[in-house]
Amino acid sequence: MSQITLDGEWTLSSLSDLSISVPIKMPGDVHSALLGAGVIPDPYLGCNETDIQWVGEHDWLLEKQFEVESTLLESKEVDLILSMVDTVATITLNDEVVMLCSNMFRNYRCNVRPFLNAGINTLRITLKRADLEAKARAERLPFPVPWAEGNNQIPHMNTLRKTQCHSGWDWGICLMASGVYESIRLQPISNVRLNSVRTSQQWHSDGSCEVIVTLASERLTPDSDAIAECVLETPNGERISHAIALDSNKLECRFMISQPDRWWPAGYGEQPLYSLTVIVDGQRVEKRLGLRELHLDTQEDDAGSAMTFVVNGKPIMAKGANWIPLDAMPGKQTPERYRQLLEDAKAANMNMIRVWGGGMYERGVFYRLCDELGLLVWQDLMFACALYPSTPAFLKDVSQEVQEQVRRLSDHPSLALWCGDNEVIGAIGWYPESRENREKYVVNYDRLNRVLQEVVEREDPTRRFWASSPCNGELDFGDAWHDDNKGDMHFWDVWHSGKSFDAYQKVKPRFCSEFGYQSWPSLPTVKTFAAEEEWNVTSPTFEQHQKNGRGNSIITEMFTRYFRFPKDFAQMLYLSQVQQALAIKTASEYWRANKPLCRGILYWQLNDCWPVSSWSSIEYNGRWKQLHYHAKRFFAPQLAVFVEEENTLSLRFINDEHRRVAATGQVTWYDWHGEVIDTWPFETKLSEDDNQLVWHCDLDIINERKHQGFFHVVMDCEGKTATNVWFDDAYKRLPLRKSDICTEVKTHADGRIVVTLSSSVPAFFVHPEFSGEGRFSDASFTLMPCSPVTVEYIGNATADQLEAGLTVYQLAGTY
């Protein structure tokens, strides 16, 4: 018999005097169900977060009745299979306890055949309070283990294997989510239980690849003659089939691919996928495989040590962002939203996503989409910004967790690296207990980290285990926040330490896996959570949606360094996004101009889990901030970037592709009316993976005419155009001219809606913003006179709706 899924409508009840009984859609979470039933207000609106904290302070019961046909009971065993059970739960079937869960990241499976009845059965899941369990575990520890006090609103989450940011973060709402977030299944077993299907690849010198499929099974009857059918389908539809007798508990099936279609990261090639199907005794496993070679190059060099991902023998420039959970209410984490967000990452020329260690091992759909889109995954294990226990019980639980997750995810071609944690070694210096007894807590850290390494290297020897992020290398836990010559770096001197943007140009990281700058949400997003009387950055609602204690002050103070102060609330929101984009652009362009020294740029962060002021480049509702539009340009395969070094203004062309590219164009020095001061044409050939100096000018010459204009480059690379600008001073000191920007909205015959923008004088950070849903093909750009820019609207609005809801911002219009 085939697998039975118990998804759909269940009943959610309170286990207290609340007398709540409402429907809940499973998989799902308690908060989403209560919101859907009108029991709680929208946690994301106003200051409602405070008013719904009682939800996490109660136990909850999930219940479903389902019918079992007598034929199911003919199976020797029937497994109940669960995963993503959040977090402390007791499962009963027909009033018999069949399973106890205590780790959100574990997989649970047990035979419930003895407890099933023909006809109606009742499955109950009791979800216990996570806060009380965390407190009880902390009290049992042999010594205090500091928790993430600067982020979590609820103590001791570090003792519980649960998404750490559920109890709040410096961008996250505190919602102590609970529920079951993956399908609940019954799997009948007749003769053989298929425990796992895993694959590996052996590459040969002639370019062929052997795909090895390993089956782990358990025969219920020793003399059973079960057959495993293994089918591999190539990207062009060719099917290769093997049938193997299951005469032992572990078997291999091999497929030789003489001319494999290689899988590449986005921007470097295609992502062909091979389909694998394994059928054993009615159990079916399907996987999609990408054939590729990958390793992390950390060889010592003249500057220190490399940090370069090499795919199919070619060095990769990793470009992307950090990923946090898609939504604070897991029931809202739909496949459609995963696809939209990851497609938007690829649309901004990203090729790597870092799954951050304070969230969760992501759902299967996330990794399948990354495989399809060519997004490499830097996978943190789920530890972040706190210290963690190293008791035997904790290590045993975590060891099993990591083993299961590595086995689940290691067949994905997108997965590039296993990283032990986020900033946990650094956290030893953050808390009084560990600062005063550092040796003890270093040993405590090492006990846990070694277990993680041992499990990863045993289960997946094909990938590198990286101890922590940031980390200077093997057994090197130096100051990777400031040491830029090896390993991966977290560079927070601009945001947290208050340095100006030029601090990004004082370091040359080998791989920067975290750096960021906040902005406020756009006005259309603010309207989704704040009433008009709250449209002020220090209003109660707005401050409730700013989780970084100094965030609003940092944004506002940085305004005074670079810009004239904005005149109203809407312009403050817009300017904050200009400022954020400028910060990340400054870092990313300079570090790319230092390729091959730098081989990785992952900014913090891609997404939001609720509408909030944050470091994201895409707002909670999917709206692109200005940063994301700039990322599309500064992560493009070909980039023209101005660099100031040693009293010289230089122009560098960067080509990340592994092919030669012809480049033509010119640098023009314009005045503020758009008149030409001087111009320099160029023509060159960019080699593969190139970084080429194509033009330079003495800054003394520019300073003789200081503030008289700006430099603008247009580069054409075989039909693709890249532009950039450079200014000789902070924007607040420049005589920018405000333009009356003209817009024209048209609908093409093919249904596309476009907006053409034109200006009589140079206008900067020109940003069309639609009050409804959707985005534009480009925004936050430089608009030159006599060079109108046409952008496509991507969304469901009509041309009339777009025109009525369109606002166009520009930098000179902020004051």
Side-chain angles (χ1 to χ4, degrees):
M1 289 185 64
S2 59
Q3 195 175 87
I4 298 171
T5 300
L6 301 180
D7 294 348
E9 186 168 302
W10 288 47
T11 299
L12 171 67
S13 306
S14 58
L15 291 175
S16 64
D17 56 359
L18 294 177
S19 300
I20 295 172
S21 181
V22 299
I24 181 172
K25 183 180 179 181
M26 298 296 287
D29 71 275
V30 171
H31 286 85
S32 294
L34 296 177
L35 175 61
V39 176
I40 61 171
D42 188 340
Y44 302 165
L45 288 178
C47 297
N48 289 343
E49 174 187 2
T50 304
D51 298 332
I52 52 85
Q53 289 304 308
W54 60 267
V55 176
E57 296 167 357
H58 288 81
D59 297 339
W60 297 92
L61 175 66
L62 309 175
E63 183 174 349
K64 184 178 180 67
Q65 290 189 330
F66 61 97
E67 189 170 1
V68 167
E69 297 180 3
S70 57
T71 52
L72 179 71
L73 303 182
E74 296 172 2
S75 303
K76 288 188 175 64
E77 296 187 359
V78 179
D79 285 356
L80 175 65
I81 304 172
L82 296 96
S83 58
M84 282 196 175
V85 181
D86 189 8
T87 293
V88 181
T90 301
I91 291 91
T92 64
L93 177 60
N94 298 325
D95 297 322
E96 297 285 347
V97 175
V98 296
M99 192 180 293
L100 298 174
C101 305
S102 60
N103 183 329
M104 176 182 165
F105 310 129
R106 289 278 306 277
N107 301 320
Y108 295 94
R109 180 171 185 159
C110 71
N111 173 30
V112 296
R113 169 64 183 79
F115 311 107
L116 283 170
N117 302 319
I120 301 300
N121 292 259
T122 302
L123 185 64
R124 295 187 177 95
I125 302 175
T126 302
L127 300 168
K128 295 289 188 178
R129 289 180 59 173
D131 59 338
L132 295 184
E133 176 66 19
K135 182 175 184 292
R137 292 187 181 193
E139 290 172 349
R140 294 196 297 268
L141 292 175
F143 55 86
V145 179
W147 50 281
E149 294 184 48
N151 291 304
N152 289 166
Q153 295 180 35
I154 296 170
H156 309 304
M157 281 298 104
N158 57 336
T159 67
L160 203 59
R161 299 308 296 148
K162 172 182 174 61
T163 295
Q164 299 290 276
C165 62
H166 278 175
S167 57
W169 215 262
D170 61 358
W171 37 258
I173 187 173
C174 179
L175 287 184
M176 286 296 283
S178 61
V180 181
Y181 312 142
E182 290 286 4
S183 292
I184 301 167
R185 297 163 288 156
L186 290 172
Q187 175 65 63
I189 311 291
S190 295
N191 297 302
V192 177
R193 176 180 288 108
L194 181 59
N195 289 321
S196 69
V197 175
R198 303 191 67 193
T199 70
S200 59
Q201 300 170 23
Q202 285 186 0
W203 289 86
H204 303 289
S205 57
D206 62 358
S208 63
C209 177
E210 190 172 18
V211 178
I212 304 164
V213 182
T214 303
L215 284 64
S217 61
E218 173 189 350
R219 288 188 293 174
L220 303 186
T221 51
D223 56 349
S224 61
D225 296 324
I227 299 294
E229 182 183 358
C230 302
V231 179
L232 186 71
E233 183 174 335
T234 67
N236 62 12
E238 179 187 353
R239 290 168 58 89
I240 311 169
S241 180
H242 294 304
I244 54 175
L246 295 177
D247 51 10
S248 69
N249 290 340
K250 190 173 182 180
L251 291 170
E252 286 186 353
C253 177
R254 292 173 176 259
F255 297 89
M256 178 60 74
I257 313 297
S258 58
Q259 293 182 308
D261 293 320
R262 289 179 182 256
W263 184 97
W264 290 92
Y268 288 93
E270 300 300 316
Q271 294 80 44
L273 294 172
Y274 291 70
S275 298
L276 173 68
T277 304
V278 176
I279 301 174
V280 174
D281 196 19
Q283 301 155 79
R284 184 184 186 95
V285 174
E286 296 180 341
K287 300 191 175 196
R288 302 194 76 192
L289 311 177
L291 306 187
R292 55 105 182 105
E293 297 175 277
L294 181 149
H295 75 274
L296 180 64
D297 176 11
T298 55
Q299 291 291 318
E300 292 186 4
D301 55 27
D302 292 341
S305 298
M307 182 81 177
T308 305
F309 287 92
V310 180
V311 180
N312 297 323
K314 299 288 188 179
I316 299 300
M317 183 67 199
K319 300 172 290 192
N322 286 257
W323 173 279
I324 66 171
L326 186 64
D327 202 295
M329 288 188 275
K332 294 189 173 188
Q333 297 172 354
T334 64
E336 294 76 18
R337 291 182 64 196
Y338 274 102
R339 176 171 288 279
Q340 184 63 63
L341 198 52
L342 290 170
E343 285 182 346
D344 284 350
K346 182 174 183 177
N349 289 306
M350 296 184 184
N351 59 28
M352 180 174 278
I353 299 293
R354 175 178 174 234
V355 179
W356 168 73
M360 64 183 190
Y361 304 97
E362 272 298 342
R363 301 167 186 267
V365 64
F366 171 89
Y367 300 97
R368 290 193 294 272
L369 285 167
C370 287
D371 295 343
E372 174 189 324
L373 297 171
L375 296 170
L376 294 168
V377 176
W378 172 307
Q379 178 67 55
D380 282 5
L381 306 182
M382 291 300 116
F383 307 88
C385 297
L387 308 187
Y388 289 85
S390 63
T391 60
F394 189 85
L395 295 180
K396 181 180 179 181
D397 190 31
V398 164
S399 176
Q400 187 68 26
E401 163 198 320
V402 174
Q403 173 181 287
E404 292 170 3
Q405 292 295 339
V406 173
R407 290 180 178 181
R408 178 173 77 97
L409 301 177
S410 60
D411 285 328
H412 288 281
S414 56
L415 204 144
L417 181 79
W418 299 103
C419 179
D421 62 65
N422 174 79
E423 298 185 350
V424 174
I425 188 69
I428 293 175
W430 300 352
Y431 303 103
E433 301 94 332
S434 50
R435 282 200 305 267
E436 293 167 7
N437 197 346
R438 180 173 176 81
E439 291 82 2
K440 178 177 186 176
Y441 287 90
V442 168
V443 171
N444 177 71
Y445 173 87
D446 185 62
R447 287 178 175 176
L448 172 60
N449 196 258
R450 283 178 183 268
V451 167
L452 303 180
Q453 180 174 1
E454 289 166 3
V455 174
V456 168
E457 291 181 346
R458 180 185 73 236
E459 296 295 329
D460 186 9
T462 68
R463 291 181 181 87
R464 184 71 171 268
F465 174 81
W466 195 249
S468 180
S469 183
C471 175
N472 290 128
E474 190 73 26
L475 293 179
D476 186 343
F477 298 102
D479 185 6
W481 279 266
H482 301 96
D483 185 354
D484 62 353
N485 66 351
K486 54 188 174 179
D488 74 310
M489 187 180 198
H490 288 191
F491 189 71
W492 285 103
D493 279 11
V494 174
W495 175 261
H496 286 303
S497 300
K499 293 184 178 180
S500 297
F501 295 162
D502 59 3
Y504 290 124
Q505 298 167 331
K506 301 295 191 287
V507 293
K508 297 179 180 179
R510 310 310 300 265
F511 195 112
C512 195
S513 52
E514 252 194 51
F515 68 105
Y517 203 87
Q518 262 202 14
S519 73
W520 294 314
S522 63
L523 185 57
T525 296
V526 170
K527 290 178 179 179
T528 67
F529 67 81
E532 188 169 357
E533 59 269 21
E534 294 287 290
W535 292 0
N536 187 296
V537 297
T538 58
S539 71
T541 291
F542 211 81
E543 289 191 337
Q544 184 82 17
H545 289 73
Q546 168 59 278
K547 294 302 183 181
N548 184 269
R550 296 170 49 239
N552 291 345
S553 299
I554 293 173
I555 293 171
T556 307
E557 191 276 332
M558 193 65 82
F559 281 170
T560 66
R561 301 192 204 180
Y562 290 98
F563 306 104
R564 303 182 192 187
F565 209 76
K567 61 188 178 184
D568 58 33
F569 180 66
Q571 298 295 342
M572 288 188 76
L573 302 181
Y574 158 78
L575 189 61
S576 78
Q577 295 201 7
V578 170
Q579 183 168 262
Q580 178 194 35
L582 181 63
I584 307 308
K585 177 180 186 289
T586 300
S588 299
E589 290 188 343
Y590 182 71
W591 296 341
R592 283 194 70 187
N594 280 281
K595 190 182 81 169
L597 196 69
C598 177
R599 280 293 189 179
I601 301 170
L602 307 179
Y603 64 73
W604 184 271
Q605 66 206 62
L606 179 69
N607 58 309
D608 286 326
C609 66
W610 73 307
V612 66
S613 303
S614 83
W615 296 265
S616 72
S617 63
I618 300 179
E619 296 173 2
Y620 170 71
N621 55 14
R623 181 179 297 273
W624 286 25
K625 290 183 179 178
Q626 294 183 59
L627 169 56
H628 209 74
Y629 290 103
H630 282 267
K632 184 179 178 182
R633 295 192 285 270
F634 63 63
F635 280 160
Q638 287 80 37
L639 175 69
V641 57
F642 290 102
V643 179
E644 292 178 66
E645 286 183 318
E646 298 179 358
N647 205 42
T648 301
L649 177 64
S650 302
L651 180 66
R652 287 192 165 273
F653 283 2
I654 292 100
N655 175 33
D656 285 344
E657 292 187 78
H658 293 294
R659 67 182 184 94
R660 288 175 59 83
V661 178
T664 60
Q666 69 179 28
V667 178
T668 306
W669 191 358
Y670 287 106
D671 68 16
W672 303 110
H673 297 274
E675 299 296 327
V676 174
I677 299 173
D678 207 343
T679 186
W680 300 266
F682 54 78
E683 182 175 351
T684 188
K685 278 277 190 181
L686 295 173
S687 300
E688 68 170 89
D689 195 35
D690 201 4
N691 177 0
Q692 190 177 126
L693 176 66
V694 295
W695 172 88
H696 62 88
C697 181
D698 194 320
L699 281 173
D700 289 336
I701 297 173
I702 299 171
N703 289 332
E704 290 175 2
R705 306 184 70 170
K706 194 172 182 66
H707 293 179
Q708 290 194 16
F710 63 98
F711 285 78
H712 184 261
V713 60
V714 178
M715 175 180 70
D716 181 83
C717 292
E718 301 179 358
K720 295 181 180 179
T721 300
T723 66
N724 217 331
V725 291
W726 179 85
F727 302 89
D728 62 16
D729 207 343
Y731 297 95
K732 66 181 182 180
R733 289 189 281 268
L734 301 177
L736 306 181
R737 295 174 60 83
K738 183 177 180 181
S739 173
D740 293 323
I741 296 174
C742 297
T743 61
E744 183 180 20
V745 180
K746 285 186 176 181
T747 302
H748 285 202
D750 59 5
R752 291 184 304 117
I753 300 174
V754 298
V755 181
T756 300
L757 303 97
S758 57
S759 173
S760 58
V761 296
F764 307 101
F765 297 97
V766 175
H767 187 65
E769 181 177 274
F770 176 48
S771 58
E773 294 183 356
R775 65 173 179 88
F776 296 95
S777 57
D778 200 6
S780 194
F781 46 75
T782 298
L783 184 59
M784 296 297 296
C786 304
S787 298
V789 172
T790 298
V791 297
E792 181 180 350
Y793 164 70
I794 302 168
N796 298 319
T798 66
D800 288 343
Q801 290 170 332
L802 177 62
E803 193 162 17
L806 185 65
T807 301
V808 178
Y809 293 91
Q810 60 175 305
L811 185 58
T814 57
Y815 51 88

